[in-house]
Amino acid sequence: MELIITSTTIAAMFFNISTSSVSNGYCYNAETNGNEVNKITVFEASGKYLDRKLQYRFDYDALGRLTNKEAQRWNNLTEQWENVYKLVYHYTETGFRLSRHDWDKKTQSYGKATTLTDYEMLGDRLMAVTTYSWNTRKNDYTKVDGFVIMDPHEGLLLAESLSPILANEQK
């Protein structure tokens, strides 16, 4: 079974958070290209105005799988978006590896991955999740957590589990 994060997954997550935005004080705007969500901008409602807070940019590979998610924070002083971190997805035959890269203001680039999380299908309904953190003393990644998920959702895709819900909401 192939485990992937697709543009449909991102769209389903966006529709899920945007329907609850009234109660949490945030509003969301998504920019799409066909079936792909390319950017989500998060605004905070303050009085009559919406203030920019966060922006997420998404990149996909030729198969429509998510490859990068970049987070940016709005700087009111410079009136520009500033990079915060980037999540990079690397797919394998049995799952994927997620790495987090924080923005380094000094070098104006993303640094070495601070954390790695491996998601690996061990069987039809069994997934191993292992998290590693960069250890500067050892100059290597150290395992910090690991667990097994038994009987996960059909297909393990959020979009698959939300599709019936979204279809009913659109009626």
Side-chain angles (χ1 to χ4, degrees):
M1 170 192 282
E2 186 175 282
L3 177 64
I4 59 173
I5 298 174
T6 64
S7 55
T8 306
T9 307
I10 300 300
M13 289 171 25
F14 166 71
F15 289 124
N16 191 38
I17 59 175
S18 66
T19 57
S20 65
S21 64
V22 175
S23 62
N24 68 15
Y26 293 97
C27 298
Y28 304 86
N29 182 55
E31 293 180 24
T32 60
N33 181 14
N35 293 330
E36 295 181 351
V37 176
N38 293 340
K39 182 171 38 173
I40 295 176
T41 305
V42 181
F43 298 90
E44 184 175 29
S46 60
K48 299 186 294 187
Y49 303 101
L50 295 177
D51 295 323
R52 294 178 211 148
K53 286 295 175 190
L54 298 169
Q55 182 170 267
Y56 300 99
R57 296 176 181 265
F58 304 93
D59 295 315
Y60 305 90
D61 64 14
L63 299 175
R65 302 178 300 185
L66 182 63
T67 56
N68 290 298
K69 175 184 176 182
E70 184 177 32
Q72 297 176 312
R73 182 178 308 122
W74 181 253
N75 183 324
N76 285 323
L77 296 175
T78 63
E79 294 188 349
Q80 292 182 355
W81 291 106
E82 294 180 346
N83 294 330
V84 180
Y85 67 86
K86 177 170 66 170
L87 302 177
V88 179
Y89 297 79
H90 297 280
Y91 294 91
T92 66
E93 289 183 25
T94 59
F96 66 94
R97 170 173 273 186
L98 174 63
S99 59
R100 179 186 167 117
H101 304 263
D102 293 326
W103 182 256
D104 185 336
K105 289 182 180 182
K106 290 179 185 175
T107 64
Q108 292 293 299
S109 64
Y110 289 104
K112 182 180 213 59
T114 54
T115 59
L116 303 172
T117 305
D118 290 330
Y119 298 85
E120 181 181 6
M121 290 303 301
L122 301 176
D124 190 36
R125 297 198 174 265
L126 192 64
M127 180 195 313
V129 180
T130 309
T131 303
Y132 304 89
S133 184
W134 181 252
N135 185 326
T136 52
R137 286 187 296 157
K138 293 183 178 181
N139 203 29
D140 198 5
Y141 292 96
T142 302
K143 180 179 174 181
V144 293
D145 197 10
F147 56 92
V148 175
I149 299 173
M150 296 171 47
D151 197 30
H153 293 294
E154 287 291 319
L156 297 174
L157 296 178
L158 178 62
E160 289 178 4
S161 62
L162 290 177
S163 292
I165 296 168
L166 294 174
N168 287 334
E169 287 180 0
Q170 293 175 351
K171 290 182 181 177

